[in-house]
């Protein structure tokens, strides 16, 4: 049985795993990224992880999921705003350090590939995965293949505009889906609501949980807090705009959400399905509708997908 190494490079952590050809994780590791140390230092950390995972193993290939735009043909990270990497030849650097020629794929695309192959969308002919984290990522799988586009930059769903001339995004544009539907956006909305409503249960819940996070507003809504409820409603409204656009462009069998916010399950999905359906073109007449659900592979999707990309 062939074995592959998958690396999931994130702004906070680097995760790696040795993965079987059927998508089973055999062993794995995780270390902090320390992006402030610079690209060269981060690359050395990735190389050390690859070497550790490969020790004593027969490895058929290595794949790495990276945030931002990657060019697998050239072996470069073209632009990753959350890492500060621009036209960085990471393949050459890793080959010199490890001896492996590493395949590159966008991190959200890697997660989508994993969920389509062995996760939430297994068996579906088409699926779109939307990752709700520090930013918003996306991956589109059609007939078992990733949609990467002319330059490899396709499926950057987080950077479609959903509010004309809206809030600024880290990418340099305004009004991006990421700016309104990421975990970062939900935390910002929660803090703004706390400032407007000093008596809200949001304050107590944040204090009890060590600060504001993606759960705060949902927990406040559960205890009947009006401010928390309004934050959740506003957040789901923006998420539904983006998901509605995705459905109208791709009309996949499955739209699967991942990230910490997706852990809210039906508290998130039920109102999201209702509002997104209203934005679906021809919804009143269509007999088939995409299934909107949560991903099933959790934090393992990135490493599994990167490994499967190396396999393919």
């Amino acid at each position: 049985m062939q074995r592959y190494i998958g690396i999931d490079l994130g702004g906070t952590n680097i995760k790696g795993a040795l993965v079987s050809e059927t998508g089973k994780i055999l062993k794995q590791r995780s270390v902090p990224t320390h992006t402030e140390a610079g690209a060269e230092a981060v690359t050395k950390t990735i190389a050390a992880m690859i070497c550790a995972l490969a020790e004593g193993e027969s490895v058929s290939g290595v794949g790495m999921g990276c945030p931002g735009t990657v060019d697998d043909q050239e072996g470069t990270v073209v632009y990753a705003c959350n890492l500060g990497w621009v036209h960085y030849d990471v393949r050459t650097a890793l080959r010199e350090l490890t001896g492996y020629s590493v395949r590159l794929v966008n991190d959200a695309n890697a997660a989508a590939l994993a969920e389509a192959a062995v996760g939430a969308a297994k068996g579906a002919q088409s699926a779109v995965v939307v990752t709700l984290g520090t930013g918003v990522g996306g991956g589109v799988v059609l007939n078992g293949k990733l949609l990467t586009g002319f330059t490899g930059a396709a499926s950057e769903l987080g950077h479609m505009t959903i509010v004309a001339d809206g809030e600024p995004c880290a990418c340099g544009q305004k009004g991006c889906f990421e700016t309104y539907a990421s975990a970062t956006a939900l935390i910002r909305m929660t803090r703004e609501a706390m400032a407007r409503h000093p008596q809200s249960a949001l304050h107590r819940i944040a204090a009890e949980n060590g600060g504001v996070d993606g759960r705060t507003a949902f927990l406040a809504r559960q205890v009947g807090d009006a401010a928390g409820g309004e934050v959740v409603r506003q957040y789901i409204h923006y998420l539904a705009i983006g998901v509605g656009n995705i459905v109208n462009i791709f009309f996949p069998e499955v739209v699967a959400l991942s990230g910490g916010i997706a852990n809210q399950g039906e508290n998130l999905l039920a109102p999201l399905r209702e509002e997104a359906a209203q934005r679906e073109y021809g919804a009143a007449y269509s007999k088939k509708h995409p299934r909107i659900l949560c991903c099933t592979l959790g934090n393992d999707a990135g490493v599994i997908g990167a490994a499967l990309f190396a396999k393919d």
Side-chain angles (χ1 to χ4, degrees):
M1 181 173 63
Q2 292 183 313
R3 299 180 174 195
Y4 301 85
I5 289 175
I7 300 294
D8 183 10
L9 172 59
T12 304
N13 293 297
I14 302 166
K15 296 185 283 289
L18 183 71
V19 179
S20 74
E21 60 187 14
T22 59
K24 181 181 179 181
I25 290 180
L26 305 173
K27 58 182 177 181
Q28 58 187 326
R29 283 178 165 75
S30 178
V31 296
T33 308
H34 294 306
T35 56
E36 73 282 357
E40 189 173 316
V42 172
T43 303
K44 288 180 179 178
T45 301
I46 296 168
M49 179 176 286
I50 291 171
C51 292
L53 289 167
E55 187 175 0
E57 305 286 350
S58 176
V59 176
S60 299
V62 180
M64 183 167 74
C66 307
T69 305
V70 302
D71 186 334
D72 182 52
Q73 185 173 352
E74 297 294 329
T76 61
V77 175
V78 179
Y79 176 55
C81 61
N82 293 325
L83 291 176
W85 291 9
V86 178
H87 292 293
Y88 177 51
D89 186 359
V90 67
R91 176 176 293 153
T92 297
L94 286 173
R95 185 189 295 119
E96 291 175 351
L97 291 167
T98 69
Y100 290 102
S101 184
V102 178
R103 297 288 307 279
L104 302 180
V105 60
N106 170 269
D107 56 352
N109 282 351
L113 186 61
E115 291 290 348
V118 298
K122 183 179 180 180
Q125 289 297 304
S126 57
V128 177
V129 170
V130 182
T131 59
L132 306 173
T134 304
V136 171
V140 179
V141 180
L142 304 175
N143 296 319
K145 299 294 183 182
L146 281 170
L147 175 67
T148 55
F150 176 55
T151 64
S155 306
E156 279 290 349
L157 304 178
H159 298 288
M160 71 170 112
T161 301
I162 66 167
V163 178
D165 300 317
E167 295 289 336
C169 180
C171 76
Q173 303 298 323
K174 291 183 177 181
C176 290
F177 187 28
E178 175 172 300
T179 313
Y180 291 90
S182 62
T184 305
L186 178 55
I187 291 169
R188 183 189 72 242
M189 293 175 193
T190 303
R191 286 177 172 154
E192 290 171 351
M194 291 170 69
R196 293 192 304 269
H197 303 282
Q199 303 305 314
S200 166
L202 289 166
H203 295 271
R204 173 180 59 80
I205 291 169
E208 289 174 353
N209 290 279
V212 179
D213 59 25
R215 301 169 299 166
T216 307
F218 282 92
L219 290 171
R221 185 182 68 164
Q222 287 176 18
V223 298
D225 183 74
E230 176 57 23
V231 171
V232 171
R233 186 206 64 78
Q234 183 184 38
Y235 174 78
I236 291 175
H237 171 67
Y238 288 127
L239 182 58
I241 293 173
V243 170
N245 289 344
I246 288 165
V247 170
N248 288 333
I249 294 168
F250 300 106
F251 220 102
E253 288 183 55
V254 173
V255 177
L257 308 181
S258 71
I261 296 172
N263 292 334
Q264 294 298 324
E266 288 300 314
N267 290 328
L268 172 72
L269 293 177
L272 173 62
R273 291 188 190 109
E274 182 177 353
E275 185 167 351
Q278 297 170 13
R279 300 177 179 279
E280 181 185 313
Y281 178 74
Y285 308 100
S286 178
K287 294 182 179 180
K288 295 181 179 179
H289 303 275
R291 290 178 286 138
I292 301 175
L293 40 78
C294 292
C295 292
T296 59
L297 298 177
N299 292 330
D300 293 336
V303 291
I304 293 172
L308 293 177
F309 187 74
K311 172 177 177 284
D312 292 340

